[in-house]
Amino acid sequence: MDEDRIKKAVLGAIEKAVDAHELAEIVRAFARGPRPTLPEGPNDAPPTAGAKRLLTRIALGDILDDSILAARPQDRTFPLRLFFGELSRLLATDADDGAAAAAADAAFTLASGLNFFFRAPMDGESKMRVGFEASRQLYVVADAARLDPELVGKAAPLLAALMTGELERLKFECVDHVKVFDSQLHERAPGSDPTAFNIVRPASFLCRVGTNNAVKVKAEVLT
């Protein structure tokens, strides 16, 4: 699938998933260049119900079930609840400084990729590729927003399992626990030391064939 077709498919999926006028307001808020001028002080208008619904949908609040959204600290899925809470917080951030704005933009890209993955109909190979790119963006967000590594390490395998439920004959696997580079499982991400074998941090999920566990797409890691 070429770049133009991917862009058209993503825009088509988003158009079906959210209200166009509300989406325009969100996109304008995250666009490059000057931010919209908003009123300041105690008379600030609260977010509209539509804006709240849109943020909920972008953060997949209408897709995730109660086992995630209502998870408690003792529940296995609680790290995933915390992660999507962090994603919602980043999406709602109206930041002007460079680092915070970059983190907000990265979060919006991740949320858009996850929405496309979970909502848009597509063939299995395309879905796997979209999911793999979303997993790469997960670690971009984690780095840009300086998320707690322990939270990311616990949430990533849960997200990989959640995404695997959308695939046929393939599965995603988190490699956060692996500390040594293995050429059969890993590709070095841009910026890696090509002579190093210690993994600094993961940069994507691994994709395997479900029936025989063969590697379909290697995980990217930073060494």
Side-chain angles (χ1 to χ4, degrees):
M1 184 181 289
D2 60 33
E3 184 176 346
D4 288 338
R5 290 179 61 195
I6 291 175
K7 289 179 181 177
K8 290 178 181 178
V10 171
L11 291 174
I14 294 176
E15 182 180 3
K16 292 178 182 178
V18 299
D19 180 84
H21 295 293
E22 293 176 354
L23 178 62
E25 292 301 317
I26 295 294
V27 172
R28 188 175 299 115
F30 283 95
R32 299 290 183 185
R35 303 283 175 177
T37 300
L38 300 176
E40 298 180 355
N43 296 323
D44 287 358
T48 64
K52 290 180 179 178
R53 284 197 304 272
L54 179 57
L55 179 58
T56 297
R57 295 193 72 182
I58 291 177
L60 303 180
D62 62 326
I63 289 181
L64 303 174
D65 60 31
D66 285 344
S67 67
I68 296 172
L69 296 176
R72 300 191 176 194
Q74 67 270 22
D75 295 335
R76 183 183 64 86
T77 56
F78 187 66
L80 205 51
R81 176 185 176 182
L82 293 180
F83 170 75
F84 278 106
E86 285 294 305
L87 185 61
S88 296
R89 178 185 64 79
L90 290 168
L91 289 170
T93 299
D94 184 19
D96 290 319
D97 66 278
D105 287 345
F108 184 70
T109 302
L110 172 60
S112 298
L114 290 174
N115 269 275
F116 189 40
F117 177 82
F118 282 107
R119 298 185 193 274
M122 66 189 94
D123 63 81
E125 181 72 14
S126 297
K127 185 172 279 288
M128 181 276 291
R129 292 292 173 182
V130 171
F132 181 80
E133 291 302 320
S135 79
R136 292 177 64 189
Q137 190 64 22
L138 162 67
Y139 293 104
V140 172
V141 171
D143 184 55
R146 297 183 179 179
L147 297 182
D148 181 0
E150 183 177 357
L151 170 61
V152 176
K154 291 180 178 179
L158 296 173
L159 181 59
L162 185 67
M163 295 171 69
T164 294
E166 299 291 313
L167 300 177
E168 296 181 4
R169 299 183 295 276
L170 297 172
K171 61 181 181 180
F172 287 125
E173 185 177 300
C174 172
V175 298
D176 290 50
H177 61 287
V178 182
K179 302 303 181 185
V180 179
F181 181 84
D182 182 343
S183 61
Q184 294 184 337
L185 302 177
H186 307 134
E187 294 279 1
R188 285 185 171 87
S192 293
D193 179 348
T195 65
F197 282 87
N198 290 331
I199 294 176
V200 177
R201 62 177 176 84
S204 81
F205 291 158
L206 174 73
C207 182
R208 293 185 184 271
V209 178
T211 53
N212 59 15
N213 232 29
V215 174
K216 172 74 172 177
V217 180
K218 295 179 182 180
E220 292 190 2
V221 295
L222 188 71
T223 59

